Structure formats: C-alpha cells, structure tokens
Amino acid sequence: MDKLSKTRTALLILFLVIVWGVNWPLSKIALAYMPPVLFSGTRTLLGGVLLLAIAIPRYRKLRFRETWPIYLLSALVNVILYYGLQTIGLNYLPAGLFSAIVFLQPVLVGIFSWMWLGEKMNGLKIAGLILGFAGVGIISSGGLSGHISAAGVLLALGSALSWALGTIYVKKTSARVDPIWLVTLQLIAGGLLMTAVGSGVENWSDVSWKPGFILSLSFISIFVIAIGWLVFYKLIDSGEASKVASYTFLIPLVAILTSTVFLDEPFTATLVAGLVCILVSIYFVNRKA
C-alpha cells in the first residue's frame, strides 16, 4: 500500500473512531433482536459478501494456493475469536466495562510491535499506552458497580488479545497478500463458521426482523465491518501499528458520548477526566522522541 498523507490519515482515523464507536451501543441494542452467535456470524458474513464486488475484479491478486494459510489465520484471530468472544461477552458485562477491557488492545499492540515488528519503544510511549488504557477505564468506571462476571472479563481479555495478535499478524504479512482479498476472505470464512455454529446452538426463529434491527445490522455490516476493516488495515500498513492503535482509545469515548446523546445516559466528570487521559496518551505515543 502507498503511504498516506497526514490529511487522509486524519480523515480515515476520524471515520474509524466514529463508526467503531457507534458500533458498541448499536451491537448491544441489536442483541435484543438476534442471538449473539448468529448476530456475530451474520454481520461479518454480510460484510464479506458486500466486499466481493470490490474483490472479484482483483482476482489475479488473490493467489489463493500460496496465501490461503494467511487468510485462514487472519479469519481465526480477527473475526472468529475477536467478534465471537466480543458478542458473547456483551451478554455478561455492561458495554462500557467490556469495551474498557477490550481496549487493552492498543497496549498489547504497542508491546507486540516492539517485540515482533522492531518498532521503537521508549518511556514516553509506554507511559502513553498505559495512560490511554487508564483513560478508558476511568470513562467506563460506572460499569464497575454491582456483580462482575468472571466469564465476561475473560471473554473481553480474549477479544483484546485476539485483536492485538491479528493486528500484528496482518502488519507482518501485508506485503504477501492483497488487502482487499484479505479483508473479504477473513470476513466470509469467519462469518460462515460463526453462522453455522449459531444455526446449531441458537434458533433463527428467535430473530426479530424489526425495521430498526435491519437498519442497525445493515449499518454495522457495511460501515463497521466491511469499510471499517479496510480502513483499519490501510492505516496499520501505512504507519506504525502502535501509533495507529493509540487512536482506538477514542472509540469507547464515542460509544459513551453516543449513549449520552441518544440513550440519555449521564455526562459525568469521569468522562471528562478519561478524555483528558486519552488525549494526553495519544500525544505521548505519537510524539517524536
């Protein structure tokens, strides 16, 4: 992939933060209309099928015989484990608390990028990653009241780890595969498997095909899944993985703000404190030493 200009990078990060932030409350709402495994499989499968229209004209770049293990492993960590664990886990914990744990991912990406990609690590960067995670924790601290499900915490940690490993794996293998085909095939493979599993353990008759749910599912499949993953990989391939990942700390903030505006959830001092931590974190991670 070609390097991005600063303006294009900023616009793509803004798009990603907004749509992936909105995804959390939308997914939480959608789970009231569709069982979790079926929902996880359906939204990713739809996203992959939509991308086929872009991928098929690039069939010469597929080279499936040589590259199929990359597509398969990417589907496992970035779709099956990440979305599967996330969707099931949202039934065990409040969305804010669950997202706070999942967004340990940028910290893990920073560590793994240093270990396996040779990216520079310094005290300021480490402090920034820790501060960003702390900011997400502060924002979501309201979810800490009441009973905390151990299963929910483990599912969130598993989701964070799989996403971090998937990000590093894609960064390492990006030169060997076509990015459009990578996203398309990982979504289709992961979506097919989760839909098949969901069809076996859940009932399609439990799905409530209300217009609002169909609209949410369509938005998630198109913007969050299909376009969102393309944008994320474009950013990861065009810059340091840890720096790009640092901006994802803003995603839980968007999720909380969206809930504040549309679901009448309170705007609190902890939200402001968390935002300050996140902004300082991004500055630290991206500041040249």
Side-chain angles (χ1 to χ4, degrees):
M1 291 187 184
D2 298 327
K3 294 298 179 183
L4 296 170
S5 66
K6 288 184 178 180
T7 301
R8 286 189 66 195
T9 298
L11 290 174
L12 289 177
I13 287 174
L14 179 64
F15 169 82
L16 195 65
V17 166
I18 290 173
V19 297
W20 279 9
V22 170
N23 171 60
W24 286 92
L26 281 180
S27 295
K28 186 75 173 178
I29 293 170
L31 287 172
Y33 297 89
M34 194 175 203
V37 181
L38 282 175
F39 174 63
S40 190
T42 301
R43 63 178 179 172
T44 49
L45 181 57
L46 283 174
V49 170
L50 288 169
L51 284 177
L52 273 177
I54 302 174
I56 288 175
R58 304 163 64 94
Y59 71 94
R60 294 183 185 276
K61 298 184 178 184
L62 176 57
R63 297 183 293 113
F64 188 76
R65 187 174 296 178
E66 308 117 72
T67 57
W68 68 265
I70 297 176
Y71 298 124
L72 190 62
L73 187 53
S74 182
L76 175 64
V77 289
N78 283 319
V79 178
I80 297 169
L81 290 176
Y82 173 59
Y83 279 117
L85 296 176
Q86 175 191 128
T87 307
I88 296 169
L90 278 170
N91 289 302
Y92 290 89
L93 288 177
L97 176 57
F98 192 89
S99 66
I101 299 170
V102 170
F103 280 90
L104 177 63
Q105 185 263 2
V107 178
L108 296 175
V109 168
I111 295 169
F112 296 159
S113 297
W114 169 63
M115 292 171 58
W116 296 324
L117 299 181
E119 293 188 3
K120 294 179 180 179
M121 182 64 70
N122 54 52
L124 199 62
K125 201 169 187 177
I126 294 171
L129 291 169
I130 295 173
L131 191 60
F133 182 58
V136 173
I138 291 169
I139 286 173
S140 305
S141 59
L144 292 170
S145 58
H147 174 68
I148 300 299
S149 165
V153 172
L154 289 174
L155 287 166
L157 288 171
S159 186
L161 180 61
S162 63
W163 185 17
L165 291 172
T167 299
I168 300 303
Y169 182 69
V170 168
K171 176 74 174 177
K172 283 184 71 72
T173 59
S174 60
R176 296 162 55 193
V177 294
D178 178 68
I180 304 294
W181 274 112
L182 175 63
V183 178
T184 302
L185 290 183
Q186 76 173 23
L187 290 176
I188 290 176
L192 280 172
L193 179 62
M194 287 188 291
T195 302
V197 172
S199 298
V201 301
E202 297 168 344
N203 296 313
W204 283 97
S205 59
D206 292 334
V207 181
S208 179
W209 295 102
K210 298 290 179 66
F213 168 67
I214 294 173
L215 187 63
S216 295
L217 180 62
S218 300
F219 179 88
I220 291 170
S221 298
I222 296 169
F223 294 100
V224 176
I225 305 292
I227 300 176
W229 278 108
L230 284 176
V231 169
F232 182 70
Y233 289 156
K234 178 73 174 178
L235 289 166
I236 288 294
D237 194 55
S238 299
E240 286 191 25
S242 57
K243 288 186 176 181
V244 173
S246 72
Y247 284 95
T248 62
F249 281 131
L250 287 167
I251 292 171
L253 176 65
V254 173
I256 300 295
L257 286 174
T258 304
S259 299
T260 300
V261 174
F262 295 105
L263 302 179
D264 296 323
E265 294 186 358
F267 188 88
T268 63
T270 56
L271 184 61
V272 177
L275 173 59
V276 172
C277 287
I278 289 170
L279 292 176
V280 174
S281 159
I282 293 170
Y283 173 74
F284 280 0
V285 172
N286 291 275
R287 185 173 181 267
K288 291 183 179 180

